[in-house]
Structure formats: C-alpha cells, structure tokens
C-alpha cells in the first residue's frame, strides 16, 4: 500500500492497512527489505542495515508501524539480508578502496588464476560468473547474486560481530523476528574449490546457475555455527522467531533446526512452492516431511512468496481455494504471500517494463515481476494501491478481484481465507493437533487432524472431476465446517461423501 502517491508501497501504507490484516486473521507479517538501497535487486542490496529507505519512510514510520501492529496483536518480522551488501555499502566502499584497507577482508577477495581467469567456476544465481574483476586493486570479489551485491566474508569475526549488532538494533526497536535471506550461502568452502557439474542439467532449461551443484558454495557445515549465533542473539530477547530462507533437499533442511543447539524455529519449507500441483506427489511429500522432522521440531508450510510464480499460476485458478485449504489445515505454521488470498494471478508485464534484474539478465520468462504487482484493494483507479502511477502494472482483473469486492462475497477466495484462518486459530486440533494421512487415490488428498478432544477430516480434490470418497471408518456422521463451496457449510455428511471437482472440505467428525 502506497501512502504518498509515488507508486511504491511504504511503511505508512502498511500501517494504514493493519486493520485489514487483522480482519484477515493473520498473526504476523514479514516485510521484504525496507533499508536504504540503490535497489539493484529491490532492496536485497542493502547499503545501510540500520536505516530506512526514504521511499518507504523513516525510522519514526517504522516505530509507528511496530506500535500499531503490536496494539493489534500482530507480530512484525523483518527481512535480514546477511549474505551480501550493496556495492554502495560503506563497508564495501572501503573494502574495494585498497588491498590494505582494514575492511578488505570483510568481503571475499581473491587473485586471478595465472591465466587471468576467475578464482573458481562458481556461478551467480542471476547469470554469469560469480566473480567480478576489480581493475584498481587487481583482484576478483565474489557475488552469489548481482555484481552490485558483493558477498560478506562470514569467516571474519568482525563481520559476524557487526551483523549480530544489526539484529540487536532491530530487536531493540521491537521487531518480533527475522526471515534470513539466503541463509544457506553465508559460509563458503574455505578453499573455494570448484563446484562439480550437475548431471541433471539440460542446456537451455532452467537458470544457467543450475549447471553446477553448489557443493562448495552453499550449505557448508560451518554455517550452522553462524545460525546458532543468530539464534543466541534472538534468545536474549525472549520470544522472537528465526526463519531461514533455505532452498535445499529435505534431509539437509532439517539440519537447520539445529543439531548442536537451537538454530531456526522455522527453516522455510518450500516443497509446496517447488513441486508440481499433483495430489499423489503432494500427499507423499507431506508424509515425507512429517517423517523427516527431528524430535520436537515444529513444521511449517509456504504457499508463495515474491520470488516464485503465484499459486494461481502454479496450480491454476480453479485450485486457489483448495490450495488455501491445504496450507491452512496442514500441521505447522503457514506462510502465505500477500494477494494470494484474492487469488491474484501472474500479471503480464511488457518486456520493456520489466523491473526485476533476473528478468532483465536471464530473459522475461525468469522475471519475478508478475508476482510482485500492486495489491488490489478496491475497484477504484490503481486498485486503491496508490494515487500515482504504480511501479508495476496492475492485473487486468483488479476491478473484480480486490479486497473490497471479495469481502462482500462469501464465495470469494478472500472470504474462504478468513473462514479457514479463523477456524485454525480457534481449533487446537488444527493449530497444534496431530496429523494422519489417509489412503486416497487419483486427485484426492485426505487427512485427519486431531487434538483438544476434536477430530477434523480434510479432503481435497485437486482435479476437475467429482469423486466419491468414504469418511474414515467408524466416523458415522460428519458436519462440514468449511468448504470451498460456501453453500455446503453446515451440512451433514454420512459415510459416503461426494467431493466435487476442485473442492475442498473440512469436516468435523463426531
Ligand atoms: C532471496 C530473496 C530474493 C533476492 C535474493 C538475493 O532469494 O528472496 O528476492 O533476490 O535473495 O538477495
């Protein structure tokens, strides 16, 4: 939400919409980076970790947001971007100034190979080599993302100290936790060995980054020590949350809960974001995830974020409601992406209007802009997002798909989200109860959540055809508490249940 008409969302804008967030029922918000930044990667290139970019407001606006959120029992989680700074950050400006500068070793500098080539074969996520040559000081520096995002050297204790103080700065200001950007890559192989080729990579498919397995550039064992330190700082402040952005195989992901002491409360579980929308695969994956969790670890599920295509684009428009029900009835903390509660779609952004550096470097097909378009508040001009020209185009359907209209319609995605969140918040069975997968075939996913003396049976149809399905044996009568088809709510069901195409049901069992 843009409060000052410059076309970009800002802190005062968020504050003005806290009542909406409260009415939606969410209990915490994660805000993508709001720090001073040249915006080469939309704030993920930070030039001052303890300030606010004027585009987004001031520290006073931030304090007001935290105070207003806390009045509504809403937690505020910041994006912490520790892997790299902006090349305009004073630390890097010093580091690049000379080899003798005390901050030289705050970043990763290496000599060229004898043939003048880069120190190793590591690739940038955003295209090309991960190394950039600095003519003036005759060395390369490493950047896992853009060359404007040099990687910090987390093997240097001064960097660790400085970055822990950044956490303290925001914790002192009252934030409730952090989503840690690119947690996986903070520590690199001490010898910077070459990454091996990935035999699964096929030319022209996916990002060129995928040519190599990031064996030595990511997920090094020593990173866990760093994460334990971050957690230690958070724990000094009591109830705070540490969330890790970790795109990684499930068994490795689990290590970020912490094996030698607490690490993340929530290592982000991106399986739903990455997989094909297929009932058998999802059902198997939920079982696999539940089975892989270490003792005492709390699960979490992510349905969308600013880096991936929207759920309406991944699963299809017809599945938006079913996806919401899956996210909000699985066991574990759900993370949803703003606008997904309206079923917002991937918005076509003309090539010449592309903002995302990934889309510019790798091609429009890789652009993240279609998921980042303005939130659709009402049917007014610019969907109520701004009084000016928005930084990205609006979706063509904003006149129908918006908060104001969907609030009036009990059959809308937004109304369904509200009912599901309210149910989840009020029923211990859904919030903290057990999960048991039920046998199912074809397009059906079914499971039972149990706790607080209650049992809920959830059945989801990921296909377009009606299917009949039996309630778990011996359940007798059930009652539909929430359905993707609001007319079905409050009705009783007996042993054999008709599940319509693209339908999901939460059924209270007697
Ligand atoms: C994370 C962010 C993404 C950003 C990248 C580099 O993946 O979610 O938006 O481009 O890190 O900081």
């Amino acid at each position: 939400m843009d409060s000052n008409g410059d076309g970009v969302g800002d802190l005062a804008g968020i504050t003005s919409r806290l009542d909406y967030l409260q009415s939606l029922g969410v209990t915490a918000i994660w805000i993508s980076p709001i720090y001073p930044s040249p915006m080469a990667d939309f704030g993920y290139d930070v030039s001052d970790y303890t300030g606010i970019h004027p585009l987004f407001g001031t520290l006073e606006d931030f304090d007001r947001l935290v105070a207003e959120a806390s009045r509504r029992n809403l937690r505020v989680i910041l994006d912490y971007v520790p892997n790299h700074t902006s090349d305009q950050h004073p630390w890097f400006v010093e580091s690049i100034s000379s080899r003798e500068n005390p901050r030289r070793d705050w970043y990763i500098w290496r000599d060229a190979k004898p043939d003048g080539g880069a120190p190793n074969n590591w690739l940038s996520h955003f295209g090309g080599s991960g190394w950039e040559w600095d003519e003036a000081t005759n060395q390369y520096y490493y950047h896992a993302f853009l060359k404007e995002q040099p990687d910090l050297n987390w093997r240097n204790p001064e960097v660790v100290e400085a970055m822990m103080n950044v956490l303290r700065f925001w914790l002192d200001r009252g934030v409730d936790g952090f989503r840690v950007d690119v947690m996986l890559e903070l520590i690199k192989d001490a010898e910077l060995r070459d990454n091996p080729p990935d035999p699964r990579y096929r030319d022209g498919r996916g990002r060129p980054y995928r040519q190599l397995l990031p064996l030595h550039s990511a997920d090094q064992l020593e990173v866990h020590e760093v994460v334990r330190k971050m957690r230690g700082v958070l724990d000094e402040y009591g109830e705070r949350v540490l969330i890790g952005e970790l795109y990684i195989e499930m068994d490795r992901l689990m290590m970020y809960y912490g094996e030698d002491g607490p690490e993340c409360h929530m290592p982000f579980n991106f399986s739903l974001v990455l997989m094909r929308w297929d009932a058998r695969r999802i059902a198997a994956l939920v079982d696999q995830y539940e089975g892989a969790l270490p003792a005492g670890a709390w699960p979490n599920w992510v349905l969308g974020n600013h880096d991936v295509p929207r759920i309406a684009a991944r699963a299809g428009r017809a599945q938006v409601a079913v996806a919401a029900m899956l996210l909000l009835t699985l066991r574990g903390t759900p993370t949803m992406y703003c606008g997904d509660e309206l079923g917002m779609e991937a918005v076509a952004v003309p090539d010449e209007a592309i903002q995302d550096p990934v889309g510019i470097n790798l091609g429009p097909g890789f652009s993240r802009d279609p998921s980042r378009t303005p939130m659709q508040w009402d049917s007014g001009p610019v969907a109520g997002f701004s009084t000016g020209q928005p930084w990205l185009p609006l979706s063509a359907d904003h006149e129908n798909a918006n908060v104001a209209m969907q609030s009036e319609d009990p059959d809308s995605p937004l109304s369904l989200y509200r009912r599901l969140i309210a149910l989840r918040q009020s029923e211990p069975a859904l919030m903290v109860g057990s999960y048991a997968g039920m046998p199912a075939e074809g397009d059906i996913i079914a499971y039972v959540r149990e706790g607080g003396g209650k049992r809920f049976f959830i059945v989801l149809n990921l296909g377009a055809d009606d299917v009949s399905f039996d309630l778990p044996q011996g359940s007798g009568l059930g009652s539909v508490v929430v359905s993707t088809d609001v007319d079905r709510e409050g009705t009783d069901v007996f042993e054999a249940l008709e599940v319509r195409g693209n339908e999901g049901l939460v059924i209270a069992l007697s």
Side-chain angles (χ1 to χ4, degrees):
M1 176 68 201
D2 172 23
S3 71
N4 62 357
D6 65 2
V8 176
D10 50 45
L11 294 172
I14 300 175
T15 307
S16 73
R17 295 296 188 178
L18 289 175
D19 288 340
Y20 165 72
L21 291 165
Q22 195 178 21
S23 77
L24 180 58
V26 299
T27 50
I29 52 172
W30 147 39
I31 311 174
S32 54
I34 50 176
Y35 320 105
S37 159
M39 296 283 163
D41 186 21
F42 291 95
Y44 286 98
D45 48 325
V46 179
S47 55
D48 172 5
Y49 284 109
T50 56
I52 302 284
H53 195 300
L55 257 181
F56 305 130
T58 62
L59 274 172
E60 288 67 46
D61 292 329
F62 179 78
D63 291 342
R64 214 181 126 239
L65 167 60
V66 170
E68 288 296 315
S70 125
R71 266 190 347 115
R72 293 168 177 81
N73 262 325
L74 270 166
R75 309 289 180 117
V76 175
I77 297 167
L78 283 190
D79 213 313
Y80 174 62
V81 190
N83 181 67
H84 42 265
T85 68
S86 159
D87 62 348
Q88 303 302 308
H89 194 294
W91 298 341
F92 190 71
V93 172
E94 282 192 45
S95 184
I96 198 173
S97 68
S98 91
R99 289 199 189 201
E100 284 71 46
N101 187 282
R103 290 232 162 83
R104 183 67 168 183
D105 184 51
W106 280 42
Y107 294 82
I108 300 170
W109 289 97
R110 287 294 182 281
D111 291 337
K113 281 199 170 149
D115 67 359
N120 67 24
N121 69 350
W122 296 359
L123 297 171
S124 154
H125 286 268
F126 291 172
S129 165
W131 295 93
E132 180 71 11
W133 178 247
D134 176 48
E135 200 63 58
T137 61
N138 269 311
Q139 276 191 320
Y140 283 96
Y141 68 85
Y142 178 62
H143 57 92
F145 294 87
L146 299 174
K147 67 175 175 10
E148 292 84 1
Q149 295 169 294
D151 279 40
L152 281 165
N153 175 16
W154 276 82
R155 291 184 183 271
N156 182 327
E158 288 173 16
V159 169
V160 178
E161 173 70 22
M163 289 304 289
M164 294 303 140
N165 287 337
V166 170
L167 292 175
R168 291 192 181 96
F169 175 87
W170 293 108
L171 290 163
D172 286 337
R173 282 201 113 83
V175 311
D176 296 294
F178 301 92
R179 172 266 190 190
V180 184
D181 190 63
V182 200
M183 181 177 273
L184 211 57
E185 301 195 28
L186 296 179
I187 298 276
K188 290 79 166 136
D189 176 43
E191 295 162 43
L192 300 179
R193 281 169 287 183
D194 275 355
N195 279 328
D198 186 338
R200 294 166 303 184
Y201 180 79
R202 270 178 288 155
D203 227 8
R205 303 229 347 224
R207 296 179 178 212
Y209 176 80
R210 297 256 168 88
Q211 290 169 77
L212 304 178
L213 286 165
L215 189 68
H216 300 301
S217 53
D219 195 28
Q220 304 299 293
L221 281 181
E222 300 102 307
V223 76
H224 293 284
E225 205 179 306
V226 172
V227 183
R228 279 197 299 276
K229 276 214 174 87
M230 291 177 183
R231 173 63 181 266
V233 171
L234 265 70
D235 286 349
E236 292 166 18
Y237 288 79
E239 197 178 69
R240 298 289 187 276
V241 69
L242 189 66
I243 305 170
E245 185 208 23
L246 298 152
Y247 287 95
I248 190 177
E249 293 78 33
M250 208 176 273
D251 53 331
R252 303 290 294 191
L253 178 71
M254 296 305 169
M255 294 173 70
Y256 288 80
Y257 279 106
E259 294 183 342
D260 301 319
E263 295 183 25
C264 293
H265 298 92
M266 303 204 312
F268 259 155
N269 166 17
F270 291 124
S271 1
L272 290 177
V273 154
L274 299 174
M275 76 185 326
R276 217 170 66 205
W277 202 250
D278 170 278
R280 295 285 53 78
R281 282 175 192 237
I282 295 176
L285 177 126
V286 176
D287 287 342
Q288 190 197 345
Y289 180 75
E290 283 279 347
L293 284 166
W298 178 246
N300 78 87
W301 295 94
V302 178
L303 194 62
N305 62 39
H306 63 297
D307 290 328
V308 297
R310 283 196 178 271
I311 183 66
R314 299 199 316 271
R317 207 191 165 108
Q319 280 288 308
V320 161
V322 168
M325 191 172 281
L326 176 71
L327 175 72
L328 292 163
T329 58
L330 282 174
R331 193 176 78 93
T333 301
T335 299
M336 52 180 287
Y337 181 49
C338 67
D340 276 354
E341 74 272 32
L342 308 175
M344 275 178 67
E345 301 204 49
V347 178
V349 176
D351 286 5
E352 63 281 3
I354 292 180
Q355 302 282 332
D356 181 17
V358 180
I360 293 167
N361 289 359
L362 303 183
F366 293 94
S367 173
R368 297 169 292 181
D369 290 343
S371 305
R372 296 177 173 186
T373 59
M375 178 72 179
Q376 295 159 201
W377 296 105
D378 58 40
S379 310
V382 203
F385 170 75
S386 175
T387 52
Q389 182 71 19
W391 74 289
L392 279 174
L394 283 167
S395 153
D397 70 350
H398 69 267
E399 280 167 23
N400 301 314
N402 60 58
V403 169
M405 292 198 61
Q406 290 199 7
S407 293
E408 301 295 311
D409 174 8
D411 228 356
S412 66
L414 176 57
S415 296
L416 175 70
Y417 261 94
R418 285 187 164 133
R419 295 198 302 278
L420 282 169
I421 295 174
L423 182 70
R424 185 188 167 90
Q425 297 294 94
S426 62
E427 292 294 351
L430 292 174
M431 180 92 102
V432 292
S434 63
Y435 164 90
M438 306 296 293
E441 286 168 14
D443 289 327
I444 297 289
I445 300 176
Y447 44 93
V448 171
R449 300 290 315 277
E450 185 167 359
K454 286 195 182 172
R455 275 204 309 157
F456 292 93
F457 174 62
I458 292 100
V459 57
L460 306 167
N461 188 349
L462 275 70
D465 299 331
D466 299 354
V467 175
S468 51
F469 197 83
D470 289 344
L471 292 190
Q473 264 195 343
S475 5
L477 189 71
S479 155
V480 177
V481 207
V482 176
S483 165
T484 55
D485 175 359
V486 70
D487 293 338
R488 241 181 137 170
E489 291 179 7
T491 59
D492 287 341
V493 290
F494 300 93
E495 260 155 43
L497 172 71
E498 186 75 9
V499 190
R500 297 170 198 152
N502 297 310
E503 186 179 30
L505 297 152
V506 182
I507 296 168
L509 298 177
S510 48

